[in-house]
Amino acid sequence: MHMQPTAHALSLLTSGAVVAAFLMGPDAAAAPSPAVPVAGAHHGGYEGLRLLAELSARRLATAHQVAAAKWGTGGPIDDPVREQQVLDTAARQARRAGADPAATTRILRDQIEANKRVQRALHRRWDANSSEAPVLRPDLSEVREEITRLNAGLVRAIADSATVRTDPSCGGALTVAETRVRHHEQLDHLHATALTHALRSVCAYSFTASS
């Protein structure tokens, strides 16, 4: 009897195919990081997921500056008021872009939590070894301006990748996108695991299946 493959099986097959393609050579694996995309730019299919992974990695790169700005101030890493403002802004931007506000805020919430994971790990490291602690304190308002630009780019990338994010093949494509970004950016273990957390809700199928 001929059986149709399930959506989960299709996702696994796709994952194997895309990872195999990645392993075929460095020419396919390396690609320059793009600037934050302009409004209205279209990044569909795998390119949309790659852009999401790249922007997520760039957002995580700001965690060191944020942690350094908060270091020694006695202030908490968590900032619920600021975080809600970020999510509310993302929801408004998503509506204007014709994207799903709920999916957008879910993904942005993971981005925020991933960034805080890195900040907490850095503070623990600096507590344990003060010689590694930052000497200068960055201007947090300037760092947040960069984060705001990256957030806007993420919202646009989420909107432009709606089709692939809701396809059963999303998991496989996202795996190879994340792998390539980790390789290209040479992420350490802390940032690599945080990137996985930041991207965990990107694929609608994976999110629904795990809920």
Side-chain angles (χ1 to χ4, degrees):
M1 179 176 63
H2 179 69
M3 296 181 64
Q4 293 293 328
T6 64
H8 180 62
L10 286 172
S11 179
L12 292 176
L13 288 170
T14 304
S15 177
V18 291
V19 172
F22 167 68
L23 295 175
M24 287 178 65
D27 291 340
S33 297
V36 176
V38 298
H42 178 69
H43 300 275
Y46 166 76
E47 287 302 310
L49 297 179
R50 181 179 62 81
L51 182 58
L52 272 172
E54 288 180 350
L55 290 172
S56 297
R58 290 169 63 184
R59 196 183 192 284
L60 282 173
T62 68
H64 190 284
Q65 293 173 288
V66 176
K70 295 178 179 179
W71 173 252
T73 65
I77 287 176
D78 292 273
D79 188 346
V81 174
R82 158 77 180 174
E83 293 166 19
Q84 190 59 52
Q85 290 172 344
V86 169
L87 295 176
D88 291 343
T89 298
R92 289 194 298 270
Q93 292 173 336
R95 292 187 187 96
R96 289 197 296 267
D100 179 2
T104 301
T105 55
R106 184 169 62 242
I107 295 170
L108 261 293
R109 184 176 288 107
D110 286 343
Q111 301 282 329
I112 292 170
E113 291 302 321
N115 197 291
K116 291 193 295 184
R117 284 186 173 204
V118 175
Q119 292 179 51
R120 292 189 186 101
L122 291 173
H123 277 201
R124 288 194 297 269
R125 184 183 301 173
W126 299 338
D127 279 332
N129 188 351
S130 60
S131 65
E132 295 185 12
V135 177
L136 300 177
R137 180 172 293 125
D139 186 331
L140 186 56
S141 63
E142 293 182 1
V143 182
R144 283 176 169 173
E145 287 180 6
E146 173 63 14
I147 293 174
T148 297
R149 287 192 290 270
L150 291 168
N151 288 345
L154 280 162
V155 171
R156 291 192 292 269
I158 292 167
D160 289 341
S161 61
T163 300
V164 68
R165 288 190 301 99
T166 54
D167 190 274
S169 66
C170 178
L174 182 63
T175 295
V176 74
E178 180 184 346
T179 301
R180 289 183 175 182
V181 169
R182 289 170 63 172
H183 172 78
H184 184 264
E185 301 297 330
Q186 298 182 330
L187 300 184
D188 59 17
H189 178 71
L190 172 60
H191 288 79
T193 54
L195 180 61
T196 297
H197 184 91
L199 298 172
R200 66 177 186 168
S201 297
V202 166
C203 294
Y205 175 79
S206 298
F207 175 80
T208 303
S210 62
S211 297

